[in-house]
Amino acid sequence: MKAWEANIRKVVPYVPGDQPKGDHLIKLNTNENPYPPAPGVARALQELDYDRFRKYPDPAVTDLVHTLADYYGAGDDQVFVGVGSDDVIAMAFLTFFNSGKPILFPDVSYSFYKVWADLFRIPYETPMLDDEFHIRPEDYARENGGVIFPNPNAPTGCLLPLEAVENIIQHNQDVVVVVDEAYIDFGGTSALKLTEKYENLLVVQTFSKSRSMAGMRIGYAIGHRDLIRAMNDVKYSYNSYTMNLPSIVLGVEAVKDDGYFRETLDKIVKTRERAKVRLRELGFTFPDSMANFIFASHERVPAEKIFQALKEQQIYVRYFRQPRLDNYLRITIGTDEEMEELFAFLEQFLKQEEQESAQ
Ligand SMILES: *Cc1c(COP(=O)(O)O)cnc(C)c1O
């Protein structure tokens, strides 16, 4: 071994979902939005003068920060914008989780948390979800170095009621509590208004799911100005120009068109509720989801087998080869047409499986 190899930072990276290429494929594996971004985004993109690319973008992301602050009724100094919520959450880990005490997040949760904790050498403990995949707030009432959880949780889709979220914050006022609301727009109640009451609460949201802009990489955090100032200090110590110009300009346009936003959300929620009925008819069980995906297990056919069969049909869903999760499929809610194709295939495939096992 060469001497320098001993000093390499060794990490086990997060594994993102596949981004398969092809014409006729149905992509229900990374919780993207099946509908395009707001029409104003397309217009602004066409009008964007490429000569502006010569210059650095605004390091403070002023326009987008202001637009978001306005939209959520917060002050500009209470909003932090980053390169997707992954960047925002990584900054929050680096900024707030430095006590040396273990931070807490659920055992079944967004698997990136563990990766950042390892990368930044932050100790952590992972309280177990209950048998129905629900977070137990009482597990977070012990000494710790900080708390983070997604709400609704991923990959389960389970929503923790706002009172339970507040209960966790109340028991943790000496540390920063981060609520990762990547899926909150699909039907949950945001903890945003609790940021007025609790200075230690940071709420993180993203443009990647509900705002149809995963490719632009925009995420944001809202919280007390002291939290936001601390995050900006860390950001400016790392990379001042995180947000590129098109993301800033187009992000503003996406927020402006609230009517379009509500319309697409409504469509996805309706499709999700119909999907719950259809999946039950097909013999699937799942925790009730308030996100844009359903985490489903079949009563007879193993998830991995269904996953493979779907993949051969160019229908991509997410499968986690992990204890406790390995008999589930995480199915993103697509358009009605995409979901119909999924159900039609499942119906025929499951029938065939049943006939074979009966023989
Ligand atoms: C998708 C997701 C994110 C990250 O989204 P970005 O694309 O980086 O904004 C963060 N947390 C959870 C729980 C997610 O599902």
Side-chain angles (χ1 to χ4, degrees):
M1 189 165 97
K2 291 156 206 106
W4 51 265
E5 283 185 69
N7 298 321
I8 290 176
R9 184 179 289 269
K10 291 185 188 66
V11 286
V12 182
Y14 172 76
V15 184
D18 289 339
Q19 292 293 349
K21 292 198 175 67
D23 283 337
H24 191 77
L25 60 84
I26 297 183
K27 195 172 174 310
L28 308 174
N29 70 332
T30 53
N31 298 344
E32 288 140 332
N33 198 306
Y35 300 107
V41 173
R43 275 195 301 275
L45 179 62
Q46 257 153 15
E47 287 163 11
L48 195 60
D49 178 3
Y50 81 106
D51 186 49
R52 292 175 72 190
F53 295 173
R54 283 187 305 107
K55 295 190 186 155
Y56 283 105
D58 171 15
V61 204
T62 316
D63 291 348
L64 186 50
V65 162
H66 181 70
T67 304
L68 286 166
D70 233 33
Y71 185 82
Y72 290 109
D76 287 17
D77 55 359
Q78 291 177 272
V79 180
F80 177 93
V81 170
V83 188
S85 51
D86 284 342
D87 179 47
V88 175
I89 299 167
M91 289 291 160
F93 270 57
L94 206 46
T95 310
F96 302 120
F97 298 159
N98 297 298
S99 71
K101 290 179 198 160
I103 61 165
L104 304 179
F105 50 83
D107 65 333
V108 174
S109 179
Y110 188 36
S111 47
F112 223 141
Y113 301 157
K114 194 171 139 359
V115 177
W116 286 312
D118 286 335
L119 176 63
F120 300 137
R121 315 266 156 90
I122 300 163
Y124 58 89
E125 285 168 11
T126 55
M128 236 172 102
L129 300 180
D130 72 15
D131 291 341
E132 259 94 59
F133 285 135
H134 292 127
I135 290 175
R136 294 180 295 207
E138 61 271 27
D139 289 345
Y140 298 80
R142 55 168 131 141
E143 200 178 346
N144 63 68
V147 174
I148 180 162
F149 57 91
N151 196 39
N153 198 5
T156 61
C158 295
L159 180 79
L160 195 63
L162 195 59
E163 309 81 69
V165 173
E166 183 163 10
N167 179 291
I168 292 176
I169 303 163
Q170 262 165 357
H171 283 92
N172 287 287
Q173 299 196 46
D174 294 335
V175 297
V176 173
V177 176
V178 181
V179 184
D180 177 358
E181 294 189 335
Y183 302 102
I184 199 70
D185 295 324
F186 299 105
T189 308
S190 171
L192 268 172
K193 74 173 194 311
L194 295 178
T195 59
E196 291 163 25
K197 202 163 151 194
Y198 300 97
E199 296 185 355
N200 62 320
L201 169 63
L202 190 77
V203 175
V204 179
Q205 297 187 358
T206 174
F207 282 50
S208 297
K209 281 80 184 224
S210 57
R211 292 190 186 274
S212 308
M213 285 175 82
M216 293 312 292
R217 312 304 303 128
I218 308 169
Y220 53 99
I222 298 183
H224 191 272
R225 62 177 63 82
D226 293 346
L227 296 184
I228 300 304
R229 189 184 305 121
M231 285 182 76
N232 274 312
D233 286 347
V234 168
K235 172 189 129 169
Y236 287 118
S237 309
Y238 187 82
N239 176 5
S240 315
Y241 303 104
T242 53
M243 301 304 292
N244 67 62
L245 179 73
S247 291
I248 300 173
V249 172
L250 304 180
V252 168
E253 290 305 319
V255 180
K256 274 191 197 159
D257 198 341
D258 199 46
Y260 179 84
F261 175 57
R262 303 273 151 214
E263 222 174 275
T264 48
L265 283 179
D266 189 54
K267 279 199 276 193
I268 292 168
V269 168
K270 285 195 172 117
T271 307
R272 177 188 70 203
E273 294 309 309
R274 281 195 293 271
K276 288 178 187 174
V277 177
R278 287 292 280 126
L279 287 172
R280 258 184 226 113
E281 286 169 358
L282 290 166
F284 285 92
T285 54
F286 44 86
D288 191 32
S289 170
M290 286 297 258
N292 67 335
F293 56 83
I294 293 173
F295 194 56
S297 180
H298 195 264
E299 56 194 1
R300 283 179 304 277
V301 185
E304 189 164 16
K305 198 165 188 187
I306 305 175
F307 170 74
Q308 288 301 348
L310 286 170
K311 198 166 167 180
E312 276 158 33
Q313 290 301 304
Q314 302 273 77
I315 301 174
Y316 291 82
V317 299
R318 191 85 193 260
Y319 175 70
F320 300 92
R321 209 166 276 103
Q322 272 173 44
R324 238 187 144 183
L325 309 185
D326 60 4
N327 202 23
Y328 285 85
L329 299 171
R330 193 194 66 191
I331 305 166
T332 304
I333 304 302
T335 60
D336 283 328
E337 294 72 30
E338 289 172 325
M339 299 310 278
E340 279 316 315
E341 278 200 52
L342 168 75
F343 299 140
F345 175 75
L346 283 174
E347 190 168 337
Q348 166 252 310
F349 174 74
L350 294 168
K351 199 175 283 166
Q352 184 187 315
E353 282 295 307
E354 247 139 71
Q355 281 163 358
E356 275 171 30
S357 63
Q359 278 166 12

